[in-house]
Amino acid sequence: MPMVRLNGASIALSARLSGVLLIGLLTLLASIAQPVYWEGNGHYYEIVLSSNIAWNNARIQAEQRTYQCRRGYLATITSQAEQDFIWNLLRANHSCGSVSSQFYLGGYEDPAGTGNWYWVTGEPMDFTYWQPGEPNNRGYETVIALGLYCSGHWNNVPPGGSWGARGYIVEYGEASAGGDVDQNGCVDDADLLAVLFAFGQSGSGLPEDVNCDGTVDDADLLTVLFNFGSGC
């Protein structure tokens, strides 16, 4: 292609570099995008990129994520409206139609090959959105993913991450409150000790930061003390 040189630099090369930088910037922005609120249930949803991650690792990582005092988990879909919202969120920034464009949901088959499907939250799987012909290959394709079918229909895939997992979808449910740091339903010694040992730490996503102000401090300690024994 013809090139115009200015001060020894190639405008064509500069354009190519600008394109590379733009792609890199868009990728970065996608990776730091904030969770998106859905008024249908008051929950937030987030698309997390993590190529070739195993489903179980995705489940663990999702449950370690927090947003605005809400604990994350692999997304569950319990209605057509929720399906449409999540699919539109996914398609806003990501492609579909290939094995490598799939994102995990929180659905799994147990035991493998039985056709018994569950959500990680324990919610009943009354609503399903399988692609016609799916689920297939029972016995080893035991988890649910979105992205292979551009209609938004579900596909079952192997859980090991080798079959095109691009990442996973996190749902942030109801905000936690009351000082139950370990989320076992009881505010007790374990929660109190957790706050004491983490006292003074700052940052986002700290489970001991029960009021989600970014610092484990007196306010968190008082919350645990005022609610001590609740739910036990």
Side-chain angles (χ1 to χ4, degrees):
M1 67 184 290
M3 296 186 183
V4 179
R5 296 188 177 277
L6 181 63
N7 296 329
S10 166
I11 293 178
L13 178 59
S14 176
R16 290 193 186 97
L17 290 174
S18 296
V20 171
L21 291 173
L22 178 60
I23 292 172
L25 178 60
L26 290 174
T27 301
L28 176 61
L29 289 174
S31 69
I32 62 176
Q34 293 295 304
V36 178
Y37 178 78
W38 183 46
E39 62 182 10
N41 58 9
H43 294 181
Y44 287 83
Y45 298 80
E46 182 179 18
I47 311 298
V48 179
L49 295 173
S50 186
S51 295
N52 299 320
I53 188 172
W55 183 85
N56 195 54
N57 289 338
R59 177 177 183 173
I60 292 170
Q61 290 183 18
E63 292 173 357
Q64 291 173 340
R65 301 175 77 92
T66 61
Y67 182 70
Q68 296 186 355
C69 275
R70 301 165 184 254
R71 291 290 181 92
Y73 51 88
L74 287 179
T76 66
I77 299 179
T78 58
S79 69
Q80 185 65 54
E82 189 174 17
Q83 163 69 32
D84 293 343
F85 173 82
I86 291 176
W87 181 242
N88 289 333
L89 178 64
L90 182 66
R91 290 292 291 121
N93 294 295
H94 302 284
S95 62
C96 64
S98 69
V99 167
S100 60
S101 62
Q102 299 186 101
F103 290 81
Y104 292 130
L105 293 171
Y108 64 99
E109 184 186 32
D110 186 45
T114 61
N116 297 320
W117 292 86
Y118 303 93
W119 292 120
V120 292
T121 56
E123 298 167 278
M125 194 174 286
D126 294 331
F127 171 82
T128 60
Y129 202 63
W130 294 107
Q131 171 75 6
E134 306 287 354
N136 59 6
N137 299 322
R138 289 181 175 173
Y140 69 95
E141 293 187 0
T142 57
V143 297
I144 302 175
L146 279 180
L148 177 62
Y149 302 110
C150 290
S151 60
H153 285 89
W154 304 351
N155 181 37
N156 61 316
V157 299
S162 60
W163 206 69
R166 192 177 184 193
Y168 53 95
I169 305 172
V170 182
E171 181 174 350
Y172 298 94
E174 302 301 322
S176 60
D180 185 14
V181 176
D182 57 13
Q183 297 291 295
N184 69 349
C186 170
V187 182
D188 56 12
D189 295 343
D191 304 302
L192 182 60
L193 288 172
V195 172
L196 288 172
F197 282 123
F199 200 86
Q201 293 184 21
S202 60
S204 61
L206 295 171
E208 299 84 6
D209 179 21
V210 295
N211 66 353
C212 298
D213 65 354
T215 304
V216 183
D217 55 15
D218 296 344
D220 304 300
L221 185 59
L222 288 173
T223 298
V224 174
L225 289 173
F226 283 140
N227 291 281
F228 199 85
S230 177
C232 302

